[in-house]
C-alpha cells in the first residue's frame, strides 16, 4: 500500500515538504537556509507552517545532514541472527561433529501465592 502527500496529516505534510526541500538543497550543493527552503516549497505549490523552514535550517546549520542520515539509517546493535547452514554436498574439509540439543524441563517455581483463593487443595 502506498500513500501520497494528500493522505498525510498537516503536520506530516509540512515535515515531508521541508525534509524534501532540505534534501534537494543538499543534493544541489546549496546552503540550507529558511529562505531557500521556503522558496522551494512555494515553487512546488505547497505551503507549510512558518516555523518548519527555520527549524530545519537551524538543525542543518548545527548538524551535518550526511551524518544525520547515516545515524538514522545505521543498523542497530542488537544481536544478529545466527549463521546460515552450510550448503549440502561438496567437500568442505572435516565436518564438525553434531551437537545434541538438551531440552531443559521448566523448573517448578513457587510464586509465593499461598492460600490465595481460600483453599489449598493443590490445584
Amino acid at each position: 500500500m502506498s500513500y501520497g502527500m494528500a493522505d498525510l496529516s498537516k503536520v506530516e505534510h509540512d515535515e515531508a515538504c521541508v525534509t524534501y526541500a532540505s534534501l534537494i538543497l543538499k543534493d544541489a550543493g546549496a546552503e540550507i537556509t529558511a529562505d531557500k527552503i521556503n522558496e522551494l516549497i512555494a515553487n512546488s505549490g505547497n505551503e507549510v507552517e512558518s516555523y518548519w523552514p527555520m527549524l530545519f535550517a537551524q538543525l542543518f546549520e548545527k548538524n551535518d545532514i550526511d551524518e544525520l542520515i547515516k545515524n538514522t539509517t545505521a543498523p542497530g546493535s542488537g544481536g544478529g541472527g545466527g549463521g546460515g547452514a552450510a550448503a549440502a554436498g561438496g567437500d568442505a574439509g572435516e565436518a564438525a561433529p553434531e551437537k545434541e540439543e538438551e531440552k531443559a524441563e521448566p523448573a517448578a517455581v513457587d510464586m509465593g501465592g499461598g492460600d490465595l483463593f481460600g483453599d489449598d487443595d493443590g490445584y
Side-chain angles (χ1 to χ4, degrees):
M1 180 187 297
S2 64
Y3 297 96
M5 292 293 277
D7 298 322
L8 301 176
S9 70
K10 173 68 172 148
V11 171
E12 292 169 331
H13 171 269
D14 289 3
E15 186 174 2
C17 286
V18 177
T19 300
Y20 293 145
S22 299
L23 290 172
I24 290 168
L25 290 169
K26 167 67 175 141
D27 285 345
E31 185 179 2
I32 302 172
T33 65
D35 289 336
K36 289 181 181 179
I37 292 171
N38 274 323
E39 183 180 346
L40 267 174
I41 292 170
N43 288 338
S44 71
N46 289 285
E47 294 180 8
V48 298
E49 294 291 333
S50 61
Y51 64 88
W52 281 108
M54 182 180 57
L55 183 70
F56 271 60
Q58 288 176 354
L59 172 70
F60 297 130
E61 182 180 297
K62 297 175 184 173
N63 298 284
D64 181 29
I65 194 168
D66 291 323
E67 287 300 314
L68 290 173
I69 292 170
K70 287 177 190 174
N71 289 339
T72 59
T73 59
S77 62
D91 185 15
E94 189 175 314
E98 291 186 27
K99 295 181 181 177
E100 290 185 30
E101 292 184 29
E102 296 180 24
K103 294 184 179 180
E105 293 294 321
V109 178
D110 180 11
M111 299 299 282
D115 190 13
L116 185 62
F117 296 107
D119 66 357
D120 194 14
D121 292 338
Y123 294 122

